[in-house]
Amino acid sequence: MSPLSGLLLVAVFPGPRLAADPIPSEERAAAMERERRASVVLSRPDVGLFPHCRARAELDSPSSSAEVVFLATDADNCYVARAVPDGVLLAKRIDEGETVIAEGPSHWWTGPGEYCLEVEAVVSDRDEHGPAWFLNTATVPPLLRLRARVWRADGEPPARWTVSAIDDPVIPGRRGERYWDPDPFGSSSARYPFGSHCGWREARGVRWLALECSSRPLVPPRCPLLEPILRIPTGERGGCWLALGDLTGDGRPDFVVARNDNQAVTALTAYGSDGRELWRWGEGGAADIAYDVPATVYDLDGDGRAEVLCSVRGSLLLLDGETGREKARFPLPAGLDVADCLTIANLRGGERPADVVLKSRYDHLWACDDRLSVLWEWAGNTGHCPTARDIDGDGRDEVLCGYALIDHDGRVLWELPLPDHADTTRLVQLEPGGPVRAVLGCGGGSDMVIASLAGEILHRPQPPLADFHFQTINVGDLRRDPAGRELIVDDGWARPGRAQLALFDAQLRRIGTYYSAYQRFARLVSWGGLARIVMPADGAIVDGRGRAVARFVDPPPFGGPGAESPMARVADIDGDGQDEVILYNAEQIVVYRNPSPPSPQPAVQERLYNFTYY
């Protein structure tokens, strides 16, 4: 078959102008543009996401500019690999301008004759920060390592690639054209040129003879598939806030789904650990959320039976966990319309936590007893969800709220001058048996710190990340070596398809990056004696080196009903001593069994009743 069989001619893009060319006049530039747009021959459609191409041409001189083109359908922007005098270059053309990605020296010219130009694209295992892992290349096109070389056709190809570069294969295209699947929040104008068309540019002194293209599909390593053990349809009662706790007294966590009206709880539906509906309270409200919803399960009154605590406008309600009937209604502190979140703490030194910490969205906090009488209050930069823990061993909790550490009696121990507000607050041990540290994520301030309990900043990210929104920080032992726990942090405002979760060691040195369909709501689960990362949008559980250890069968889809779904939680639902994985959105709850044998829980998890999306 002729190499030009099925030839497709498309006017697509201007060819290159060598650096030695004089700058043309405006009229000449326009004419050259038209000529170059008509000079691209695309002979191979659908070459595969990771192509390997070898073009053969007769060249009159080293400046004949043999050029292979990779182009997305219906787009003018593209990648090119070009043989130039004394070398080979890789370039990206966007909006009629060209950027050279990399150029490598090569003394390939030996006189007029037939030459080969070979180009391949493979998944890169690194980005600009170091190791990088792409969890689902079917929906999230990875960074690519592009390589090219040129040689005389009657000789042997060079032992090494002449030029190699890592690049993000995202180029502008027609708005609304399909790029990658997971972009439920708007139409994308980004395009992926590989897997669309491959061809060459016709030029003086170049006679193309053949183009051989093949694709190298990326086959993910095999890993266990997890079948659901429980699926609960929530239908019109569904929501994107899921509280967990033992409502029935059988020792297993049950499910409470909350709906809300601008954060105030409007409807609750309780389901047993076996999936049966237990009760309903309230009506209406929205499933979508953009914040924590003030609803949790806890035995606040100490009668041995859990209540469901929730904030409506003006009040905090206690509902009987088994029936949903209202047991008590307490007015919120003066000045608080609805609680931004609920944190259970032990501020009075009782045998068990029996106090409630409430806050406004960003500027006020109230510490209350179990009847919602105010113990103390604090005005300041509260950030999102506070953390409570006894860090001085006096039997009473301290509260880390915003950038301030507050003693059990309301005395501010210290406050750090950090930017924006705290998206994440953690009081955790970063080394087994080591001291408790304060971990703070300064979301919109593009900063994160580890501080001592004396308020001394010990570590900041290395290298600094100026454009990273430190949203949620999960801490756990993700690797056996080195010793110490790791921190997995999501970039809260990343765009779909290039969402990142950064992995740091206990000194905040960046040691890897996960690229996900959507970065929010990752959770840690104990798996084989280590913490693993549940990636709900990618339907996978991955380890501390980017490898999938399991994938979910028929999980709730990314972009399904409810904002930013699906979400994830972990809890021992079946009583086997090991946490199961729970994925959910606004229409269903799906539980997957953890096949690992019971083991100590290395993941540093918040208590079930102090769950937060931050």
Side-chain angles (χ1 to χ4, degrees), residues 87 182 254 400 450 607:
D254 303 300
L400 182 63
I450 294 174
R607 299 171 181 137

Side-chain angles (χ1 to χ4, degrees), residues 39 43 104 108 164 194 225 234 252 284 293 303 305 310 348 424 426 470 499 509 512 530 559 574 600:
S39 67
S43 62
W108 56 272
S164 178
F194 303 98
L225 298 179
T234 53
R252 298 184 183 183
V293 174
D303 66 353
R305 300 168 57 190
C310 66
R348 292 174 291 162
T424 297
R426 300 283 187 266
F470 292 86
R509 293 172 295 206
L530 287 173
D574 61 5

